[in-house]
Amino acid sequence: MSNVELIIEERAANIGNFMVGRLLPFRQKRAVGPFVFIDHMGPVKLNDRENMDVLPHPHIGLSTLTYLFEGSIMHRDSIGSEIEIKPGAINWMTAGKGVVHSERTPDYLRNSEKILHGLQIWVALPKELEETEPAFTHIAEDEIPRWEENGIHFKLIAGEAFGKKSPVPVHSPLYFIEIKNTHPQDIEIGDMLYGESALYILEGSIFSDGNNYGPKQILIAKDTKLCAFEMAENSTVYIFGGQPFPEQRFIDWNFVSSDKERLKQAKVDWLNQRFPKVPGEVDFVPYPKA
């Protein structure tokens, strides 16, 4: 990406029973537009005795976006949603004033070998919507805008860009774009983006301003209006960003807020199990010890 200001390397993080690659937040860059958290899951191979079991845990002040490349996750939440997410589809859950959800390997896959690979993303809510009612939307793969230009495949996963709009019900101006190619290509985004912008390389590599960049890196751009780079063959990249909020966002565990006192209240509420329950779930993730 032209005018690269910062390079963020994927860092290992433990989310329970397997490791993920943490991309955001980063000490020098806490957010890109409204995006405050990105984990790259896998690809991890699970045998017939290993399963994803993320127990019920809470969120406030954000929307979660789950996007899988491989595998399957059963999502259950305190709103009453129960749905299997598969590759290419999108789970969009808005926590608002408080939601609890679990993420597990579906029952029919629990005794077989499987691969899990995808992105889990947190998008902060505008201040006036931080205490909104929780909501959940599942977007099927064929509902997501996609198009091809000169052999380059684009997909607008969320937000608005390139004169197109994703059906994902976002709450502020943002974009999350997938770009894939099979042959080396020059990409010219021009002035199609806005706010803050970053590029994540999932596979392959890109060449920009005399530098090569490889997988598991996020490149933070200085100027979204000067976005140009060359993609190597068989590469997949994600461009994301949008308008930043005027107020800083703070994160405590799974809670996001513009108000530190609200984070303290959320902690107390979870410790005292005052959040809504997930139907059919008994266990939960305890607040982490210091």
Side-chain angles (χ1 to χ4, degrees), residues 139-166:
I139 307 294
E141 182 179 15
D142 60 7
E143 298 178 63
I144 301 168
R146 66 187 67 211
W147 65 100
E148 181 181 344
E149 294 179 10
N150 301 319
I152 306 167
H153 298 271
F154 294 85
K155 186 185 294 185
L156 180 59
I157 295 170
E160 294 187 56
F162 304 104
K164 304 178 189 298
K165 183 177 181 178
S166 166

Side-chain angles (χ1 to χ4, degrees):
M1 184 177 289
S2 296
N3 297 328
V4 175
E5 182 176 49
L6 179 66
I7 302 169
I8 300 176
E9 298 279 353
E10 194 171 295
R11 288 112 44 221
N14 194 327
I15 65 167
N17 57 345
F18 62 87
M19 303 296 290
V20 298
R22 180 74 31 92
L23 291 155
L24 279 180
F26 185 64
R27 62 184 180 276
Q28 294 166 267
K29 188 65 177 175
R30 308 305 298 179
V32 177
F35 291 81
V36 295
F37 178 97
I38 300 178
D39 265 358
H40 174 210
M41 301 183 296
V44 59
K45 187 173 183 179
L46 303 174
N47 65 34
D48 57 2
R49 299 177 304 280
E50 296 174 316
N51 293 291
M52 180 183 190
D53 281 304
V54 180
L55 300 179
H57 58 281
H59 293 289
I60 67 165
L62 56 83
S63 295
T64 62
L65 188 159
T66 303
Y67 184 70
L68 296 181
F69 311 127
E70 293 180 272
S72 180
I73 295 175
M74 180 59 70
H75 166 98
R76 296 181 178 90
D77 63 41
S78 55
I79 307 167
S81 315
E82 182 174 340
I83 193 162
E84 180 183 355
I85 180 169
K86 296 183 177 183
I90 298 166
N91 266 18
W92 177 263
M93 182 181 70
T94 296
K97 66 182 184 181
V99 77
V100 179
H101 73 131
S102 64
E103 298 160 294
R104 297 180 182 272
T105 299
D107 288 344
Y108 72 94
L109 292 175
R110 296 185 72 84
N111 297 314
S112 60
E113 292 187 351
K114 55 262 172 192
I115 294 176
L116 190 61
H117 190 200
L119 295 173
Q120 292 199 306
I121 296 168
W122 296 356
V123 181
L125 290 169
K127 186 174 182 178
E128 66 273 14
L129 293 177
E130 285 184 319
E131 297 299 317
T132 192
E133 290 292 326
F136 176 83
T137 305
H138 180 83
I139 307 294
E141 182 179 15
D142 60 7
E143 298 178 63
I144 301 168
R146 66 187 67 211
W147 65 100
E148 181 181 344
E149 294 179 10
N150 301 319
I152 306 167
H153 298 271
F154 294 85
K155 186 185 294 185
L156 180 59
I157 295 170
E160 294 187 56
F162 304 104
K164 304 178 189 298
K165 183 177 181 178
S166 166
V168 174
V170 301
H171 301 284
S172 66
L174 61 86
Y175 45 86
F176 185 55
I177 306 156
E178 178 184 272
I179 306 176
K180 288 176 172 280
N181 72 328
T182 54
H183 303 288
Q185 300 272 176
D186 289 329
I187 308 293
E188 294 280 351
I189 302 298
D191 59 357
M192 301 296 288
L193 304 180
Y194 48 88
E196 297 180 332
S197 187
L199 182 149
Y200 171 58
I201 305 167
L202 176 69
E203 55 190 0
S205 62
I206 71 165
F207 182 79
S208 177
D209 291 348
N211 296 300
N212 271 306
Y213 302 99
K216 301 185 178 182
Q217 291 183 323
I218 283 183
L219 312 181
I220 308 294
K222 295 178 184 177
D223 186 349
T224 59
K225 297 186 184 302
L226 296 174
C227 185
F229 52 93
E230 180 183 340
M231 290 178 69
E233 63 183 9
N234 298 319
S235 294
T236 302
V237 303
Y238 293 85
I239 296 178
F240 64 94
Q243 296 294 351
F245 297 123
E247 321 87 8
Q248 184 178 353
R249 289 301 181 275
F250 304 102
I251 299 178
D252 176 18
W253 189 40
N254 296 318
F255 307 131
V256 174
S257 181
S258 58
D259 182 356
K260 288 185 177 180
E261 291 302 314
R262 180 66 180 93
L263 296 179
K264 292 178 183 178
Q265 183 60 53
K267 174 183 175 180
V268 170
D269 288 344
W270 185 246
L271 288 172
N272 290 281
Q273 285 297 290
R274 290 197 288 256
F275 273 78
K277 306 296 184 184
V278 179
E281 293 275 16
V282 177
D283 296 327
F284 60 90
V285 178
Y287 185 87
K289 295 180 181 180

